[in-house]
Amino acid sequence: MFYAPAAVPDYSALKKCWHPVKYAHQLQERPTRVRLLGHILVIWRSSDGKPHAMEDMCIHRGAALSQGTVDGDEILCPYHGWRYGKNGVCTAIPQLEDPTVVPSKAKVPSYFCQERYGIIWVSLEEPRWPLPEIPELEADDRSLIFTGPYPWQADSSRQLENFTDFAHFPWVHPGLLGDPKKTIVPRYSVETDDRVLRYEITRPEAPRNEEFPVFFNEQQSGERHSQYQLYLPYTIVMRQDWGGSEQMIHLFCSQPVDNNMSIGYSVIGRNYYHDQDPEIMKRFEDTAFNQDKEIVELQRPEFVPFDLADELHMRFDAVAVSYRKAMRDQGLAKRVDAQPVAG
């Protein structure tokens, strides 16, 4: 039976939002190809180190600019050497007697691009909102760890909503993030302010995992206090503490590659365990995200159905309910009769 949800992500509206496309340390001297909302882009750095994003296609014969090279503030097509500036305008055609006599049509679309929190962000149209302010990730007392990225065969809405789900911890992450003997989700509430959802929860801490001693739960028991800010469409900032000054901050954001593919980025900042090998946290994150991936990739449909009547919701699903309402209210999800195609 074909399942046609009543409301789905609006890919046209999502073009006006910032999305992660790469970790900053992954973008070096050579240009790189990425896919965002069905668009194939090239990202590259100019001589000042700033990142830029353009359509990955030379206007001449459609060659991939990501296969080319960067020379100062220009990117060169690998096929015929045409040169493009940071704004996507062709600056020189070497086959001409005067290479600077360039037709006005010789240009490719360029996009909004910036680097922050160790991530390259792109917006295909003028963004509606700025990136969230996360001062802890730019503070000197934090040790930053970049994990992933995590490609999933699922829409970013599913990847994001999985991160908000408290009820699955004992079942999907026993001994890692949850305790199978403690399955009740404590009561909490969600406050929606424009494009930001705010909520917090105090829940029983899972027994300390000696293989992955990444949390400051040295008492072997107790509670973990978590504060969340969910920024539409696909970004979450989570702050955790255990009753003292020790705090972990977790930035998670998802790249909507297309309507059935997403890539998650996870940046963690801690003011404790500065000398711990970061590979321990990376292995912890890999384990948890791979456990989630097995579940989420088989969810149907591949994206969150944004009509509340399409799935059954319980009291402990308050975040999911608020998220679906906010996406609709902000025009980032829409009613349709059939599954959309990104592009």
Side-chain angles (χ1 to χ4, degrees):
M1 178 178 179
F2 178 72
Y3 176 61
V8 299
D10 187 335
Y11 294 102
S12 177
L14 290 169
K15 293 179 181 179
K16 297 180 175 66
C17 299
W18 288 109
H19 302 284
V21 295
K22 208 79 174 176
Y23 277 129
H25 65 262
Q26 295 177 313
L27 182 61
Q28 301 295 329
E29 296 180 358
R30 295 195 59 81
T32 300
R33 167 177 276 205
V34 300
R35 189 176 177 91
L36 178 63
L37 294 169
H39 289 259
I40 300 176
L41 314 178
V42 56
I43 54 174
W44 56 286
R45 294 186 185 276
S46 52
S47 60
D48 57 6
K50 292 183 178 179
H52 307 278
M54 297 159 43
E55 200 76 15
D56 191 19
M57 184 187 72
C58 178
I59 190 64
H60 179 220
R61 288 295 180 267
L65 295 176
S66 58
Q67 291 184 307
T69 56
V70 174
D71 182 12
D73 294 332
E74 297 174 321
I75 186 170
L76 279 65
C77 173
Y79 204 8
H80 299 100
W82 288 30
R83 304 174 72 97
Y84 292 86
K86 295 178 286 188
N87 59 359
V89 175
C90 181
T91 60
I93 300 175
Q95 290 78 19
L96 299 177
E97 291 185 6
D98 184 350
T100 63
V101 180
V102 177
S104 59
K105 185 182 177 180
K107 57 185 177 181
V108 297
S110 62
Y111 304 106
F112 296 87
C113 185
Q114 66 171 304
E115 177 180 342
R116 198 170 186 190
Y117 310 129
I119 293 174
I120 306 297
W121 306 79
V122 171
S123 182
L124 297 179
E125 296 181 8
E126 185 169 357
R128 292 174 60 180
W129 303 293
L131 289 176
E133 292 296 322
I134 316 173
E136 296 97 325
L137 293 183
E138 297 174 323
D140 294 335
D141 67 336
R142 302 284 164 155
S143 298
L144 300 187
I145 304 172
F146 301 88
T147 70
Y150 300 104
W152 290 7
Q153 291 290 331
D155 183 77
S156 282
S157 57
R158 284 292 195 194
Q159 192 173 54
L160 184 283
E161 197 171 88
N162 171 78
F163 198 97
T164 73
D165 187 293
F166 300 123
H168 80 284
F169 292 145
W171 310 102
V172 182
H173 311 295
L176 196 71
L177 288 170
D179 187 342
K181 297 179 181 179
K182 301 174 182 179
T183 61
I184 296 176
V185 178
R187 289 185 176 273
Y188 66 95
S189 60
V190 181
E191 175 187 333
T192 302
D193 179 14
D194 192 38
R195 60 124 174 188
V196 185
L197 278 61
R198 295 182 174 85
Y199 52 101
E200 58 184 284
I201 190 170
T202 299
R203 57 186 177 87
E205 181 65 280
R208 184 173 174 83
N209 188 310
E210 295 303 331
E211 182 181 1
F212 301 115
V214 297
F215 300 119
F216 199 82
N217 51 353
E218 297 180 346
Q219 300 302 317
Q220 303 290 326
S221 62
E223 295 180 327
R224 184 189 310 182
H225 177 234
S226 303
Q227 293 180 308
Y228 293 81
Q229 294 173 322
L230 191 164
Y231 294 83
L232 301 183
Y234 307 130
T235 297
I236 290 182
V237 179
M238 175 179 66
R239 295 172 172 87
Q240 298 185 109
D241 67 76
W242 294 264
S245 60
E246 295 79 12
Q247 185 192 67
M248 172 186 290
I249 187 165
H250 197 157
L251 166 64
F252 177 78
C253 47
S254 184
Q255 172 186 348
V257 178
D258 53 36
N259 61 351
N260 61 5
M261 180 71 183
S262 58
I263 302 175
Y265 299 83
S266 177
V267 182
I268 295 170
R270 299 184 298 188
N271 63 359
Y272 62 91
Y273 293 172
H274 294 295
D275 296 330
Q276 187 182 74
D277 184 351
E279 290 302 316
I280 296 176
M281 176 62 81
K282 292 180 181 180
R283 290 197 301 270
F284 169 84
E285 289 276 281
D286 290 349
T287 301
F289 275 103
N290 286 335
Q291 291 172 340
D292 286 325
K293 181 179 180 178
E294 291 185 10
I295 301 294
V296 176
E297 286 194 334
L298 294 182
Q299 284 182 285
R300 292 295 177 265
E302 292 83 358
F303 44 82
V304 166
F306 285 95
D307 191 300
L308 294 181
D310 280 335
E311 290 183 338
L312 176 63
H313 306 285
M314 305 298 289
R315 174 190 56 79
F316 51 78
D317 297 316
V319 179
V321 172
S322 298
Y323 175 58
R324 296 171 192 219
K325 288 180 178 178
M327 288 285 283
R328 291 279 301 276
D329 291 345
Q330 293 298 326
L332 299 174
K334 63 180 180 180
R335 296 193 62 83
V336 294
D337 296 323
Q339 181 172 331
V341 176

